[in-house]
Amino acid sequence: MNCKEAKQHMFFLAEGEIDPGLSDAMHKHLAGCSGCNHVYEEIRQTLHTLSDRKETKADPWFAARMEQTFRELQSEPEYVVFSPAIRYLRFVPVAASFLLALYLGIHIGSEISGRHTDTNGVGAIVSEQFDDLISDQIYQRSFETFFLTNGE
Amino acid sequence: MNDQELIEGLKNNNQQAFRFLVERYQDLVVSTCFTFLRDRDDAHDIAQEVFIEVYKSIGRFRQDAAISTWLYRIAANKSLNFLRRHNNRWLFIPLEKLFGNEVAEKKLTEPDFTKSEDKEHEFDIRIRMMHKAIDKLPESQKTAFTLHKFNYLPYKEVAEIMETSLPAVESLIHRAKKKIQSELIRMIEKQTP
């Protein structure tokens, strides 16, 4: 057994989890290799330290603290807990309102701007009438301005 | 009061049953949280959350497992959640710690067996070294190893707590041991002159 192989089994040897044949080979290697023996001893002592440690216990005040917590929880008003489906459904009216507002916004916007841009629909007729009216007014005003002013 | 009566009492919102639950299982819950968190205050805070979770979800408790198994599961999950939140704090480590003196940082984290004052605290150093190795494990291996090694639970109970099979737990613990072994060897060789 070489050092690399020995290092693959050190933890398990310290835990007593390898078969006797491998255990013998390991001990034989460790007896002749001070480097591996040092590493093995450190691992063994570390595992030994773990088994020696005391079990953690709850602090004496913990039970009193929990009793107070339970009392507070019991005095809290009970809230109705909706199922996940209902929780998600509450967003539907909000989303519908948003979509409706978006649609109305686009529709009204296109109606207003359609007076000048729409060439086929109602907007086009309105636009033509509007243009005629404006040009008539300009022509009329120019005519009156030219003749009447010069006439005076 | 046996576990069956205890669960009935808890489901009926009986104050006496909650008191009994805490008295009987407080050491189990606190020590489980402590094995994951390694801080007494944090362990007590998370243990409190565990009992509150029991209070709130006792109605959903299926009585196909022991109440202790259920408590171990909640304690392990809550502790791991706490660690996940805690581990994200590296974002707030001061810059000098991230880019500062590497030797100073090493002194904070790596045990040094060559110094005499450290020899006086060999117990703490060895525990710290083990914890450092465990911290490198993936969560599932860490949970299985910690429950088995620090809470002295048999593989079968670890499997019930983790809601997995016995061979899966055996495999997790075996891989955890191999990883810990290589980490320990790395740390020991680093410290050996």
Side-chain angles (χ1 to χ4, degrees):
Chain A
M1 178 175 281
N2 58 30
C3 295
K4 195 179 172 187
E5 285 171 334
K7 281 173 187 168
Q8 288 174 359
H9 305 291
M10 283 178 175
F11 192 100
F12 300 94
L13 178 68
E15 291 262 90
E17 290 179 355
I18 56 175
D19 62 70
L22 187 58
S23 175
D24 288 345
M26 282 286 291
H27 282 298
K28 202 173 164 187
H29 176 80
L30 294 174
C33 179
S34 60
C36 282
N37 194 46
H38 168 71
V39 174
Y40 170 70
E41 275 304 311
E42 287 295 342
I43 290 177
R44 196 183 61 78
Q45 285 181 38
T46 302
L47 290 172
H48 184 70
T49 306
L50 282 185
S51 59
D52 270 3
R53 82 198 158 79
K54 288 175 194 163
E55 199 178 338
T56 311
K57 288 194 179 293
D59 285 337
W61 46 261
F62 184 75
R65 177 173 149 185
M66 280 317 307
E67 196 169 342
Q68 175 67 23
T69 306
F70 285 137
R71 211 173 291 130
E72 284 169 11
L73 284 169
Q74 282 177 329
S75 64
E76 275 181 10
E78 282 190 25
Y79 296 103
V80 179
V81 180
F82 293 112
S83 69
I86 293 173
R87 277 200 299 246
Y88 290 118
L89 276 174
R90 69 190 164 160
F91 295 112
V92 171
V94 178
S97 306
F98 176 76
L99 290 172
L100 183 67
L102 192 68
Y103 171 76
L104 286 174
I106 292 169
H107 187 71
I108 292 168
S110 65
E111 279 294 316
I112 293 167
S113 62
R115 287 176 179 172
H116 297 290
T117 56
D118 188 1
T119 53
N120 298 317
V122 179
I125 299 163
V126 172
S127 181
E128 275 172 29
Q129 289 171 349
F130 184 76
D131 290 345
D132 290 348
L133 185 68
I134 295 292
S135 58
D136 283 354
Q137 280 181 355
I138 293 166
Y139 177 75
Q140 185 73 21
R141 196 172 297 158
S142 309
F143 183 81
E144 284 170 3
T145 308
F146 180 74
F147 287 103
L148 294 178
T149 312
N150 288 347
E152 282 178 6
Chain B
M1 193 185 280
N2 61 31
D3 270 8
Q4 184 63 38
E5 291 165 344
L6 178 61
I7 292 161
E8 287 304 316
L10 295 172
K11 285 186 174 176
N12 293 328
N13 218 2
N14 182 343
Q15 180 83 18
Q16 183 70 24
F18 283 108
R19 191 181 299 130
F20 192 80
L21 173 83
V22 174
E23 279 170 12
R24 183 185 278 183
Y25 292 109
Q26 59 179 344
D27 288 341
L28 179 152
V29 174
V30 169
S31 70
T32 304
C33 294
F34 183 78
T35 56
F36 284 93
L37 305 172
R38 301 161 204 157
D39 181 279
R40 283 193 70 84
D41 291 338
D42 288 344
H44 281 85
D45 288 345
I46 300 300
Q48 182 175 358
E49 285 186 24
V50 171
F51 284 112
I52 290 171
E53 176 76 33
V54 169
Y55 174 86
K56 287 181 174 171
S57 56
I58 188 67
R60 296 197 300 273
F61 176 61
R62 304 186 312 273
Q63 287 170 322
D64 51 0
I67 197 161
S68 60
T69 305
W70 191 45
L71 286 167
Y72 274 123
R73 190 180 301 148
I74 299 173
N77 283 335
K78 288 218 171 278
S79 301
L80 290 171
N81 283 341
F82 178 88
L83 287 176
R84 269 183 230 125
R85 291 198 304 268
H86 191 80
N87 287 342
N88 288 337
R89 288 187 198 166
W90 68 269
L91 289 167
F92 307 104
I93 292 171
L95 286 176
E96 62 268 26
K97 216 173 173 186
L98 277 176
F99 303 109
N101 189 342
E102 203 178 319
V103 179
E105 177 64 16
K106 191 179 159 192
K107 178 77 187 96
L108 283 172
T109 54
E110 297 276 347
D112 188 351
F113 291 106
T114 59
K115 291 198 170 180
S116 59
E117 65 265 29
D118 281 336
K119 283 192 193 298
E120 293 169 18
H121 309 290
E122 270 190 15
F123 181 89
D124 290 340
I125 291 165
R126 290 188 200 289
I127 290 280
R128 197 147 54 96
M129 196 163 70
M130 193 70 183
H131 286 162
K132 267 182 76 72
I134 292 169
D135 286 343
K136 297 268 170 74
L137 297 175
E139 242 175 41
S140 55
Q141 290 178 26
K142 185 195 275 186
T143 306
F145 183 81
T146 303
L147 288 171
H148 171 65
K149 197 76 191 166
F150 292 90
N151 292 288
Y152 312 107
L153 296 177
Y155 285 11
K156 190 173 176 293
E157 198 166 349
V158 175
E160 280 175 24
I161 292 164
M162 294 180 73
E163 293 179 292
T164 187
S165 66
L166 187 60
V169 168
E170 285 170 350
S171 168
L172 283 172
I173 293 176
H174 184 78
R175 279 185 282 144
K177 285 179 177 178
K178 288 195 89 158
K179 178 116 181 156
I180 289 168
Q181 174 181 254
S182 62
E183 277 300 316
L184 289 178
I185 290 171
R186 188 189 63 77
M187 282 188 265
I188 293 162
E189 286 181 339
K190 208 172 174 181
Q191 294 299 337
T192 308

